[in-house]
């Protein structure tokens, strides 16, 4: 399928470009009229089926562009910015123009060198920098080599062999180009006319027809075929040959339309036919004997799509065509009850609540930091708290909106753990500040809020996949998602927050912040202890609920699966810390050091077990996360080491002070 798209685009773009070369000049990108705002809005809310989920085209276009470009916008050849839907429409209707848009992100110049590309000026200097974007036309000369190398990498992956970083990047670029090509050739069928064999012209009433025109006459074709079979002899054979030739031409014309966008809802109810249709599916269904009356509306809309391709240079005509197409497709989806949330999801995408909450948290942290310089000020802390509450409200609003759109509890994917755990941790910080009023929760709330949401966005970009994808079958239960999954993630949040508080203690002692304020540090220790108790309670309950769910799904309460082991590790480490504290083994320094080390246990259970790619819980595997997780471990090892250094230094200072004062009381450096 992908090879068909690749060949189709390789033939299509040169032919289209040839028609504009004279007017535009050699090597110069052709232009197209801008899309009207009403068209962009209508198509933003137009439903498409992707990976079994009905979503607005805005979501589909946004994630496709993010995979290619690492951004929600595309830049045209002349430097203008396009939204995801505008870019998507350009690739569909103006592929020869979109081929000049620099949308392919290449993070490593070695990828270009490996496939035989070099972007150098007359002096031998690079004309492109790392992370620059490249147009399809820039990469076209190397596509053959790129696809051959990518096929080798795919073969190695199937054989479960080790893949190098460069090989992975080559493979990603090749797959991105294949996705782009599939979209660019999707409307090939609308750019051709099918020659009607002479013996059929009287029956069909034309010497040539569009694909939709032929599908609209499919009943006449079937009647002609039946007559040819009855006639037999030389006449019947001639008629049969004509039908076969027309059938081959129709299949060839529709061949490139079998991939996305899948935007034609069928006429049957959802219970009878769940999957939506492409133009290829419509043609196959009619050729396979489905009554023409059942797809009459779809064929009429297919004709509207062909008209839009023909009228693409006329802004008024193409606007009328596309608005009519969008209206008809939406009406089909509404009759099946599948259009209810499309407009809401498109609005959700535009609202960007996570992005806005991140900015608010960053500003709140900045205000809190300024407040440290003026500790006597009363308004700055209040402003920081108010901003943190605004950021939290935006974050909770995002989580709630997603729940409504998906009709699910707040967590059903690895991505959704980020905003949920961040929200719980921010609430915990604000509660700590309300109880203790020592400024620690005030500073940590916006810091954790901004950090967690930046990581959420980064994870989404790394995965490059729609964050609202349908659940795998074993997870498709709202009850256990609302109980086990939510509870265990609250436990994760408790463990992470305890680690952050422990880091504040260690780094504060290291730099001498409020060195003489023993009550301040005692207060942090109490916070760490209380948050660990909170986290342990939810971790234990969540783990038990997970066992009950496992017993229902797999017939056993516990199977030593990596994810189960990770949850058990969290419970054991928290219990060990609390027992160490109660037994006097861990005092203030020890408690905070252990809390920081415990964050690595939480990180392993949260992400690390998925990277093992074994067990029944590896739903979020992505090899690109390993480097990020290594950085996380490295940071915590560094903080732990700095804490040990500060502990050793303070102990030496206390011993020196004790020696200098004789029988004087030593400072509580070891407490």
């Amino acid at each position: 399928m992908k090879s068909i798209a690749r060949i189709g685009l390789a033939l299509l773009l040169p032919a289209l470009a040839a028609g504009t070369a004279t007017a535009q000049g050699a090597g110069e990108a052709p232009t197209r009229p801008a899309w009207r705002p009403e068209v962009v809005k209508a198509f933003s809310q137009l439903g498409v089926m992707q990976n079994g989920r009905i979503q607005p085209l805005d979501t589909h276009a946004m994630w496709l562009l993010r995979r290619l470009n690492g951004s929600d916008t595309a830049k045209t050849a002349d430097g203008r910015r396009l939204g995801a839907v505008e870019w998507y429409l350009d690739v569909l209707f103006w592929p020869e123009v979109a081929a000049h848009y620099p949308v392919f992100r290449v993070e490593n110049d070695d990828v270009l060198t490996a496939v035989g590309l070099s972007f150098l000026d007359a002096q031998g200097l690079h004309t492109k920098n790392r992370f620059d974007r490249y147009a399809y036309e820039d990469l076209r000369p190397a596509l053959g080599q790129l696809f051959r190398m990518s096929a080798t990498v795919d073969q190695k992956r199937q054989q479960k062999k080790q893949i190098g970083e460069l090989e992975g990047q080559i493979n990603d670029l090749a797959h991105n180009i294949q996705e782009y090509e599939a979209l660019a050739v999707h409307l090939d069928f609308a750019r051709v006319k099918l020659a009607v064999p002479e013996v059929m012209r009287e029956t069909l009433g034309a010497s040539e027809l569009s694909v939709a025109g032929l599908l609209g006459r499919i009943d006449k074709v079937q009647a002609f075929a039946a007559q040819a079979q009855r006639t037999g002899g030389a006449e019947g054979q001639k008629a049969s040959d004509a039908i076969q030739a027309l059938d081959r031409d129709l299949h060839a014309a529709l061949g490139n339309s079998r991939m996305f966008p899948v935007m034609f809802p069928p006429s049957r109810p959802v219970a009878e036919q769940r999957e939506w249709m492409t133009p290829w599916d419509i043609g196959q269904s009619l050729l396979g004997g489905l009554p023409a009356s059942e797809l009459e509306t779809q064929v009429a809309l297919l004709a509207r799509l062909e008209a839009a391709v023909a009228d693409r240079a006329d802004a008024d005509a193409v606007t009328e065509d596309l608005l009519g197409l969008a209206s008809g497709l939406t009406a089909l989806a509404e009759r099946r009850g599948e259009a209810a949330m499309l407009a809401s999801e498109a609005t959700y995408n535009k609202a960007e609540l996570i992005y806005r909450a991140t900015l608010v948290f960053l500003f709140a942290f900045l205000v809190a930091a300024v407040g440290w310089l003026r500790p006597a000020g009363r308004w700055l802390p209040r402003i920081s708290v108010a901003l943190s509450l605004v950021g939290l409200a935006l974050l909770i609003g995002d989580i709630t909106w997603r729940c409504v759109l998906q009709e699910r509890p707040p967590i059903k994917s690895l991505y959704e753990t980020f905003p949920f755990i961040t929200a719980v941790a921010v609430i915990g910080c604000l509660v700590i500040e309300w109880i203790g009023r020592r400024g620690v929760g005030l500073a940590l709330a916006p810091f954790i809020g901004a950090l967690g949401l930046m990581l959420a966005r980064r994870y989404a970009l790394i995965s490059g996949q729609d964050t609202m994808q349908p659940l795998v079958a074993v997870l498709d239960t709202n009850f256990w998602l609302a109980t086990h999954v939510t509870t265990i993630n609250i436990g994760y949040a408790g463990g992470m927050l305890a680690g952050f508080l422990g880091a504040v203690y260690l780094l504060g002692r290291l730099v001498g912040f409020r060195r003489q304020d023993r009550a301040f540090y005692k207060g942090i220790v109490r916070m760490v202890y209380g948050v660990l108790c909170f986290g342990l309670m939810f971790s234990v309950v969540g783990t038990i609920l997970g066992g009950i769910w496992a017993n229902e799904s797999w017939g056993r309460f516990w199977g030593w699966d990596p994810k189960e082991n990770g949850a058990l590790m969290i419970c054991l480490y928290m219990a060990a810390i609390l027992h160490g504290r109660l037994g006097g083994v861990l005092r203030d320094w020890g408690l905070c050091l252990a809390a920081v080390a415990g964050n690595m246990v939480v990180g392993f259970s949260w992400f690390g077990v998925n990277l093992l790619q074994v067990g029944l819980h590896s739903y979020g595997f992505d090899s690109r996360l390993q480097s990020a997780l290594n950085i996380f471990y490295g940071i915590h090892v560094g903080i732990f080491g700095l804490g040990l250094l500060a502990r050793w230094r303070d102990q030496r200072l206390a011993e020196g002070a004790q020696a200098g004062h004789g029988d004087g009381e030593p400072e509580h450096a070891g407490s």
Side-chain angles (χ1 to χ4, degrees), residues 70-396:
S71 173
D72 294 348
T73 60
K75 187 181 291 186
T76 65
D78 58 4
R80 292 179 294 109
R81 285 283 178 185
L82 296 178
V85 173
E86 293 176 281
W87 167 80
Y88 196 94
L89 290 172
D90 274 5
V91 179
L92 271 177
F93 289 92
W94 293 90
E96 75 277 23
V97 177
H100 294 269
Y101 296 171
V103 296
F104 292 97
R105 187 184 190 200
V106 180
E107 298 185 2
N108 189 344
D109 290 340
D110 292 339
V111 173
L112 302 176
T113 304
V115 298
L117 286 176
S118 178
F119 295 91
L120 303 176
D121 60 17
Q123 288 74 38
L125 300 176
H126 285 277
T127 58
K128 296 266 191 181
N129 298 315
R130 191 182 182 195
F131 300 122
D132 273 352
R133 271 69 171 175
Y134 297 80
Y136 180 85
E137 284 295 328
D138 295 332
L139 303 174
R140 179 198 292 279
L143 291 186
Q145 176 67 10
L146 176 65
F147 291 136
R148 284 190 293 272
M149 296 179 71
S150 176
T152 302
V153 177
D154 283 334
Q155 187 176 13
K156 290 177 70 174
R157 279 184 168 154
Q158 290 174 0
Q159 297 170 353
K160 297 186 177 180
K161 294 182 178 179
Q162 186 70 26
I163 303 297
E165 182 178 354
L166 180 61
E167 290 179 307
Q169 292 174 349
I170 290 172
N171 197 237
D172 289 343
L173 178 60
H175 289 172
N176 287 342
I177 290 176
Q178 287 171 347
E179 282 197 273
Y180 172 88
E181 289 179 338
L183 178 63
V185 299
H186 185 79
L187 295 183
D188 277 3
F189 71 90
R191 299 183 177 99
V192 300
K193 294 291 184 181
L194 303 176
V196 178
E198 189 172 351
V199 296
M200 300 180 67
R201 290 178 182 175
E202 183 178 351
T203 301
L204 298 184
S207 60
E208 63 175 19
L209 289 169
S210 68
V211 168
L214 178 59
L215 293 178
R217 294 169 171 82
I218 200 69
D219 52 345
K220 294 183 179 180
V221 175
Q222 292 167 345
F224 183 85
Q227 179 62 37
Q229 190 174 13
R230 288 193 298 269
T231 301
E235 288 291 327
Q237 184 61 45
K238 184 177 180 181
S240 296
D241 291 343
I243 292 172
Q244 290 177 9
L246 191 59
D247 182 72
R248 285 195 302 270
D249 290 345
L250 180 61
H251 276 80
L254 286 172
N256 288 335
S257 69
R258 42 179 117 187
M259 295 181 70
F260 59 79
V262 184
M263 59 183 182
F264 286 87
S267 300
R268 295 180 179 179
V270 176
E272 296 181 19
Q273 185 174 348
R274 176 74 179 89
E275 296 297 316
W276 285 24
M277 310 175 79
T278 62
W280 166 269
D281 297 325
I282 295 172
Q284 287 294 99
S285 297
L286 292 173
L287 293 175
L290 192 71
S293 58
E294 188 166 320
L295 292 178
E296 184 178 357
T297 303
Q298 287 80 357
V299 172
L301 292 173
L302 206 58
R304 202 77 189 248
L305 183 56
E306 291 177 340
V309 173
D311 295 336
R312 63 178 188 160
D314 185 335
D316 292 332
V318 75
T319 296
E320 182 179 352
D321 293 332
L322 291 179
L323 289 179
L325 173 66
S327 176
L329 291 173
T330 301
L332 281 173
E334 287 174 344
R335 283 205 293 269
R336 287 165 50 92
E338 295 178 311
M341 294 295 181
L342 293 175
S344 180
E345 185 174 336
T347 304
Y348 167 82
N349 293 335
K350 294 291 184 294
E352 295 186 300
L353 295 184
I354 290 289
Y355 175 72
R356 297 176 191 277
T358 305
L359 294 181
V360 173
F361 280 131
L362 285 172
F363 189 50
F365 181 72
L366 179 62
V367 172
V370 172
W372 300 339
L373 303 177
R374 299 184 59 190
R378 299 172 59 183
W379 285 105
L380 288 177
R382 294 178 181 178
I383 294 174
S384 180
V385 169
L387 289 171
S388 295
L389 289 171
V390 171
L392 180 62
L394 291 171
L395 176 54
I396 293 175

Side-chain angles (χ1 to χ4, degrees), residues 425-640:
V426 170
I427 292 172
C429 289
L430 294 176
V431 170
I432 285 172
E433 184 62 27
W434 178 63
I435 295 173
R437 301 189 183 276
R438 295 188 178 276
V440 177
L442 177 68
L444 273 183
F447 175 79
I448 292 176
L451 178 63
L453 297 187
M454 286 190 289
L455 290 175
R457 183 171 176 82
R458 180 59 184 165
Y459 172 78
L461 289 175
I462 287 176
S463 67
Q465 300 298 323
D466 174 22
T467 59
M468 297 191 198
Q469 290 192 26
L471 287 165
V472 295
V474 71
L475 296 179
D476 194 5
T477 162
N478 279 359
F479 175 78
W480 291 112
L481 288 174
T483 52
H484 161 65
V485 176
T486 302
T487 305
I488 202 74
N489 277 274
I490 293 175
Y492 288 170
M496 281 289 178
L497 180 54
F500 275 107
L501 289 167
V504 170
Y505 181 96
L506 299 179
L507 296 178
R509 296 297 292 262
L510 175 70
V511 301
F513 179 73
R514 299 176 70 167
R515 181 186 297 274
Q516 304 303 322
D517 191 349
R518 291 172 53 192
F520 173 77
Y521 287 100
K522 284 290 186 182
I524 295 178
V525 171
R526 285 193 293 271
M527 296 174 197
V528 173
Y529 184 83
V531 171
L532 282 172
C533 292
F534 169 85
L536 177 62
M537 178 181 68
F538 279 93
S539 295
V540 170
V541 172
T543 302
I544 294 172
L545 290 173
I548 298 172
W549 186 8
N551 188 57
E552 283 193 5
S553 298
W554 300 317
R556 90 294 188 274
F557 181 85
W558 194 266
W560 299 107
D561 183 88
K563 194 72 171 180
E564 297 168 346
N565 296 341
L568 180 61
M569 286 168 60
I570 292 177
C571 296
L572 292 177
Y573 108 77
M574 288 184 177
I577 294 175
L578 295 176
H579 277 79
R581 177 67 175 178
L582 288 172
V585 177
L586 296 177
R587 303 180 71 182
D588 293 2
W589 280 97
L591 181 69
C592 294
L593 285 166
V596 170
N599 259 9
M600 291 187 281
V601 178
V602 176
F604 176 77
S605 180
W606 188 357
F607 284 101
V609 294
N610 294 318
L611 299 176
L612 297 176
Q613 209 174 358
V614 294
L616 297 171
H617 293 81
S618 294
Y619 310 120
F621 172 76
D622 193 320
S623 59
R624 290 166 293 187
L625 292 176
Q626 184 63 65
S627 58
L629 197 59
N630 289 339
I631 292 173
F632 173 82
Y633 292 151
I635 290 173
H636 281 77
V637 168
I639 294 174
F640 189 88

Side-chain angles (χ1 to χ4, degrees), residues 17-32 94 96-97 100:
T20 59
T22 304
Q24 298 294 330
E28 199 174 326
T31 58
R32 56 83 179 159
W94 293 90
E96 75 277 23
V97 177
H100 294 269

